[in-house]
Coordinates of all heavy atoms in Angstrom, one line a residue:
N32 N 28.5 -3.1 -75.6 CA 29.1 -2.2 -74.5 C 28.1 -1.5 -73.8 O 28.1 -1.1 -72.7 CB 29.9 -1.1 -75.3 CG 31.3 -1.8 -75.8 OD1 31.6 -2.9 -75.2 ND2 31.7 -1.3 -76.9
N51 N 22.5 -4.4 -47.5 CA 21.7 -3.7 -46.4 C 20.8 -4.7 -45.8 O 20.6 -4.8 -44.5 CB 20.9 -2.6 -47.2 CG 21.8 -1.4 -47.5 OD1 22.8 -1.2 -47.0 ND2 21.3 -0.6 -48.5
Q124 N -27.1 -5.6 48.3 CA -28.5 -5.4 48.4 C -29.2 -6.6 49.0 O -30.1 -6.5 49.9 CB -29.1 -5.1 47.0 CG -28.7 -3.7 46.6 CD -29.4 -3.3 45.2 OE1 -30.3 -4.0 44.8 NE2 -28.8 -2.4 44.5
L127 N -28.5 -6.9 52.8 CA -29.3 -5.8 53.5 C -30.8 -6.2 53.6 O -31.5 -6.1 54.5 CB -29.1 -4.4 53.0 CG -27.6 -3.8 53.1 CD1 -27.6 -2.4 52.3 CD2 -27.4 -3.6 54.6
I202 N -26.5 12.7 28.5 CA -26.4 11.1 28.8 C -25.6 11.0 30.1 O -25.9 9.9 30.7 CB -25.9 10.4 27.6 CG1 -24.5 10.8 27.3 CG2 -26.9 10.7 26.4 CD1 -23.9 9.9 26.1
W229 N -11.2 14.1 35.8 CA -11.5 15.0 37.0 C -12.9 15.0 37.1 O -13.7 15.7 36.2 CB -10.9 16.5 36.7 CG -11.3 17.5 37.7 CD1 -10.7 17.7 38.8 CD2 -12.3 18.4 37.6 NE1 -11.3 18.7 39.5 CE2 -12.3 19.3 38.6 CE3 -13.2 18.8 36.6 CZ2 -13.1 20.3 38.9 CZ3 -14.0 19.8 36.6 CH2 -14.0 20.5 37.9
D247 N -4.5 31.1 15.9 CA -3.8 32.4 15.6 C -4.8 33.6 16.2 O -5.6 34.0 15.5 CB -3.6 32.6 14.1 CG -2.7 33.9 13.8 OD1 -2.1 34.4 14.9 OD2 -2.6 34.3 12.7
Q252 N -8.4 38.7 21.9 CA -8.9 37.4 22.1 C -8.0 36.5 23.1 O -8.5 35.9 24.0 CB -8.8 36.7 20.7 CG -9.9 37.0 19.7 CD -9.7 36.3 18.3 OE1 -8.6 36.2 18.0 NE2 -10.9 35.9 17.7
L291 N -27.3 -2.9 62.3 CA -28.8 -3.3 62.3 C -28.6 -4.9 62.5 O -27.5 -5.6 62.5 CB -29.3 -3.2 60.9 CG -29.5 -1.6 60.5 CD1 -30.1 -1.5 59.1 CD2 -30.3 -0.9 61.6
R310 N -24.9 15.6 42.2 CA -25.1 17.0 41.7 C -23.7 17.5 41.4 O -23.6 18.4 40.7 CB -25.8 17.7 43.1 CG -27.3 17.3 43.2 CD -28.0 18.3 44.1 NE -27.4 18.1 45.5 CZ -28.1 17.2 46.4 NH1 -29.0 16.5 46.0 NH2 -27.6 17.1 47.6

Side-chain angles (χ1 to χ4, degrees):
N32 294 333
N51 292 335
Q124 291 181 15
L127 292 174
I202 64 176
W229 174 80
D247 186 11
Q252 290 176 321
L291 301 175
R310 290 191 292 269

